[in-house]
Protein backbone atom coordinates (compact mmCIF):
# COMPACT_ATOMS: atom_id res chain seq x y z
CA UNK A 1 0.00 0.00 0.00
CA UNK A 2 1.37 3.41 -0.75
CA UNK A 3 0.58 6.71 0.91
CA UNK A 4 -2.04 7.78 -1.63
CA UNK A 5 -4.16 4.67 -1.16
CA UNK A 6 -4.44 5.04 2.56
CA UNK A 7 -5.34 8.74 2.54
CA UNK A 8 -9.06 8.10 2.61
CA UNK A 9 -8.96 5.07 4.84
CA UNK A 10 -9.15 5.01 8.62
CA UNK A 11 -6.06 6.43 10.28
CA UNK A 12 -3.84 3.68 11.76
CA UNK A 13 -3.90 5.50 15.12
CA UNK A 14 -7.57 4.54 15.61
CA UNK A 15 -8.79 8.11 16.03
CA UNK A 16 -11.86 7.32 13.91
CA UNK A 17 -10.79 9.90 11.34
CA UNK A 18 -9.29 9.37 7.89
CA UNK A 19 -5.53 9.31 7.62
CA UNK A 20 -5.60 12.39 5.38
CA UNK A 21 -7.37 14.38 8.12
CA UNK A 22 -5.51 12.89 11.06
CA UNK A 23 -1.83 11.92 11.12
CA UNK A 24 -0.91 12.64 7.50
CA UNK A 25 -0.48 16.44 7.94
CA UNK A 26 1.94 15.65 10.78
CA UNK A 27 3.89 13.17 8.66
CA UNK A 28 4.13 15.74 5.87
CA UNK A 29 5.10 18.46 8.39
CA UNK A 30 2.15 20.59 7.32
CA UNK A 31 1.09 20.61 10.95
CA UNK A 32 2.78 19.78 14.23
CA UNK A 33 1.22 17.86 17.10
CA UNK A 34 -0.10 20.16 19.81
CA UNK A 35 -0.09 17.57 22.56
CA UNK A 36 2.02 14.61 23.64
CA UNK A 37 -0.92 12.32 22.83
CA UNK A 38 -1.18 13.67 19.27
CA UNK A 39 2.52 13.06 18.79
CA UNK A 40 2.21 9.56 20.24
CA UNK A 41 -0.65 8.77 17.85
CA UNK A 42 1.25 10.11 14.85
CA UNK A 43 4.28 8.03 15.81
CA UNK A 44 2.16 4.88 16.02
CA UNK A 45 0.83 5.67 12.54
CA UNK A 46 4.41 6.20 11.40
CA UNK A 47 5.26 2.65 12.56
CA UNK A 48 2.19 1.32 10.75
CA UNK A 49 3.02 2.97 7.43
CA UNK A 50 6.12 2.82 8.08
CA UNK A 51 7.87 6.18 8.09
CA UNK A 52 11.25 5.81 9.83
CA UNK A 53 12.23 9.36 9.02
CA UNK A 54 9.28 10.80 10.95
CA UNK A 55 10.10 8.54 13.90
CA UNK A 56 13.66 9.86 14.04
CA UNK A 57 12.62 13.47 13.57
CA UNK A 58 10.15 13.25 16.43
CA UNK A 59 12.67 11.65 18.78
CA UNK A 60 14.29 14.02 21.27
CA UNK A 61 17.51 15.40 19.71
CA UNK A 62 19.43 14.21 22.79
CA UNK A 63 18.19 10.62 22.29
CA UNK A 64 18.37 10.33 18.51
CA UNK A 65 21.76 8.65 18.51
CA UNK A 66 20.19 5.66 20.30
CA UNK A 67 17.99 4.92 17.31
CA UNK A 68 18.51 4.27 13.63
CA UNK A 69 16.10 5.38 10.94
CA UNK A 70 16.52 2.05 9.14
CA UNK A 71 15.90 0.06 12.33
CA UNK A 72 12.71 1.99 13.04
CA UNK A 73 11.58 1.59 9.45
CA UNK A 74 12.30 -2.15 9.63
CA UNK A 75 10.55 -2.57 12.98
CA UNK A 76 7.52 -0.86 11.46
CA UNK A 77 7.63 -3.02 8.37
CA UNK A 78 8.10 -6.51 9.80
CA UNK A 79 5.16 -6.10 12.18
CA UNK A 80 1.58 -5.53 11.21
CA UNK A 81 0.22 -2.74 13.41
CA UNK A 82 -3.42 -3.38 14.11
CA UNK A 83 -4.61 -1.11 16.90
CA UNK A 84 -3.64 1.69 19.23
CA UNK A 85 -5.27 2.10 22.60
CA UNK A 86 -4.46 5.13 24.71
CA UNK A 87 -4.74 3.97 28.31
CA UNK A 88 -4.08 7.20 30.17
CA UNK A 89 -2.24 10.48 30.00
CA UNK A 90 -0.29 11.77 32.99
CA UNK A 91 0.13 15.50 33.16
CA UNK A 92 1.12 17.01 29.83
CA UNK A 93 4.10 14.88 28.96
CA UNK A 94 3.37 11.20 29.70
CA UNK A 95 1.15 8.83 27.76
CA UNK A 96 0.37 5.22 28.59
CA UNK A 97 -0.72 3.07 25.68
CA UNK A 98 -1.11 -0.40 24.26
CA UNK A 99 0.04 -0.98 20.69
CA UNK A 100 -1.43 -4.13 19.17
CA UNK A 101 0.44 -5.83 16.37
CA UNK A 102 1.11 -9.12 14.66
CA UNK A 103 4.77 -10.02 14.57
CA UNK A 104 6.68 -11.50 11.64
CA UNK A 105 5.51 -15.00 12.65
CA UNK A 106 1.88 -13.89 12.71
CA UNK A 107 1.58 -13.95 16.49
CA UNK A 108 -0.51 -11.19 18.01
CA UNK A 109 1.44 -9.05 20.45
CA UNK A 110 0.72 -6.14 22.72
CA UNK A 111 3.38 -3.54 23.37
CA UNK A 112 2.53 -1.71 26.59
CA UNK A 113 4.45 1.46 27.27
CA UNK A 114 4.43 4.63 29.30
CA UNK A 115 6.16 7.18 27.12
CA UNK A 116 7.80 10.37 28.21
CA UNK A 117 7.69 13.38 25.89
CA UNK A 118 9.21 16.84 25.99
CA UNK A 119 8.36 20.11 24.32
CA UNK A 120 11.23 22.11 22.84
CA UNK A 121 10.60 25.36 20.97
CA UNK A 122 6.92 24.52 20.47
CA UNK A 123 7.51 21.01 19.16
CA UNK A 124 6.82 17.76 20.95
CA UNK A 125 9.43 15.00 21.01
CA UNK A 126 9.56 11.43 22.26
CA UNK A 127 12.15 11.04 25.01
CA UNK A 128 11.92 7.51 26.39
CA UNK A 129 9.55 4.73 27.30
CA UNK A 130 8.99 2.36 30.19
CA UNK A 131 7.86 -1.04 28.95
CA UNK A 132 6.10 -3.84 30.69
CA UNK A 133 4.29 -6.95 29.61
ZN1 LIG B 1 -4.07 9.41 13.23
Amino acid sequence: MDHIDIEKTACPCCSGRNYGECCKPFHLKEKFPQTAEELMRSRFSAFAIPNGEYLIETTSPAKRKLYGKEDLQEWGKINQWTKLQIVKTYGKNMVEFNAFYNDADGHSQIHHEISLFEKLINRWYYVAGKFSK
Side-chain angles (χ1 to χ4, degrees):
M1 246 196 241
D2 69 26
H3 292 200
I4 294 151
D5 290 330
I6 64 169
E7 186 160 341
K8 292 211 161 64
T9 62
C11 192
C13 82
C14 301
S15 61
R17 289 183 288 159
N18 290 341
Y19 174 64
E21 298 161 355
C22 186
C23 291
K24 188 187 176 197
F26 299 140
H27 294 165
L28 294 184
K29 293 176 243 176
E30 293 170 355
K31 288 205 292 186
F32 296 96
Q34 297 301 300
T35 63
E37 184 181 328
E38 270 187 351
L39 177 67
M40 197 275 122
R41 287 180 168 280
S42 70
R43 285 175 54 89
F44 177 84
S45 293
F47 275 113
I49 286 173
N51 183 340
E53 193 174 319
Y54 184 79
L55 291 164
I56 280 293
E57 284 176 355
T58 55
T59 298
S60 166
K63 301 281 180 180
R64 254 175 230 174
K65 60 183 180 298
L66 303 175
Y67 300 91
K69 187 171 90 180
E70 284 76 21
D71 293 342
L72 291 168
Q73 180 85 15
E74 190 61 21
W75 177 241
K77 202 157 137 186
I78 59 171
N79 299 306
Q80 193 197 343
W81 302 86
T82 53
K83 193 172 99 174
L84 173 67
Q85 179 184 56
I86 304 288
V87 177
K88 204 173 175 196
T89 56
Y90 303 87
K92 284 188 170 161
N93 64 344
M94 278 170 89
V95 182
E96 181 178 2
F97 66 91
N98 288 312
F100 296 77
Y101 65 96
N102 297 320
D103 65 21
D105 298 322
H107 299 298
S108 53
Q109 307 280 357
I110 302 172
H111 172 87
H112 174 253
E113 180 175 331
I114 300 174
S115 294
L116 178 66
F117 298 88
E118 67 180 352
K119 201 175 190 182
L120 303 168
I121 324 170
N122 280 323
R123 299 266 188 88
W124 280 102
Y125 296 92
Y126 172 76
V127 178
K130 267 191 271 180
F131 321 117
S132 60
K133 277 279 173 185

